[in-house]
Amino acid sequence: MPILTYGDDIIVTTPSCEVASDKEFTLDLGEHNMNEFSAVGQTVGKADMQINLKCKNGTVVSAVMTDQSNPGNTSDTLSLTESSTAKGIGIQFFNDNNANPIKYGPDSIASEQSNKWYIATADKDDDLIDVNLTAKYVRTGDIKAGDASGIASVTFIYE
């Protein structure tokens, strides 16, 4: 909505981005022997994904990842879905080969929220920003073999 000042229109625009790649991903972390998980915290398997954002100049892009099976989860380990039969396993996501896993937070675009992380600032219109994520299984306790699935969402915050 324009703001009127002394008869002139001033249009306030909000910097923003649009997703320029797939919006949904299915990652396959493979099948692994229980012996590969030598201790709690051991990660096994790897699957990469890339989300591409097309942004306006000056847009500051951050994100928060939400555990859809347990939206109140603020740890760094994605909960397994109810249909999963494996035990003692979780899933961790890493951003741009960062050694520390992403911590989960609320599905919200609020600029002040827990566990959001900075991605980049667009330096020109139609700037393409790549968000590179890697998923890995992580041992969380005593292991029981079975299927292990999780569901997470990523909410992008544009400032």
Side-chain angles (χ1 to χ4, degrees):
M1 180 168 151
I3 299 171
L4 298 176
T5 306
Y6 300 109
D8 294 326
D9 286 344
I10 298 174
I11 299 173
V12 178
T13 60
T14 304
S16 65
C17 302
E18 63 182 59
V19 177
S21 63
D22 290 339
K23 294 180 182 180
E24 292 186 21
F25 296 85
T26 300
L27 303 178
D28 185 352
L29 295 173
E31 292 184 16
H32 300 279
N33 187 304
M34 290 178 13
N35 296 334
E36 293 180 68
F37 296 93
S38 59
V40 170
Q42 174 73 41
T43 58
V44 175
K46 179 181 175 186
D48 297 320
M49 63 184 270
Q50 184 178 70
I51 303 169
N52 308 109
L53 302 174
K54 185 176 173 182
C55 301
K56 292 181 182 177
N57 185 30
T59 304
V60 177
V61 182
S62 298
V64 65
M65 186 171 269
T66 303
D67 181 338
Q68 293 299 311
S69 295
N70 178 12
N73 180 4
T74 58
S75 77
D76 62 9
T77 303
L78 182 66
S79 305
L80 297 183
T81 61
E82 286 186 21
S83 63
S84 295
T85 55
K87 302 290 181 206
I89 300 294
I91 301 168
Q92 292 182 325
F93 279 88
F94 300 82
N95 182 23
D96 279 330
N97 297 317
N98 189 325
N100 298 317
I102 293 170
K103 290 187 176 185
Y104 296 91
D107 187 5
S108 169
I109 60 170
S111 61
E112 297 301 321
Q113 67 169 302
S114 61
N115 296 334
K116 81 171 184 178
W117 77 92
Y118 169 79
I119 296 171
T121 301
D123 60 5
K124 64 182 185 262
D125 278 342
D126 296 330
D127 198 5
L128 286 176
I129 295 174
D130 297 330
V131 182
N132 299 301
L133 300 172
T134 299
K136 298 178 181 182
Y137 285 127
V138 62
R139 181 174 176 178
T140 59
D142 292 336
I143 296 177
K144 176 186 167 211
D147 293 329
S149 299
I151 302 172
S153 64
V154 179
T155 302
F156 293 105
I157 302 158
Y158 311 123
E159 301 176 69

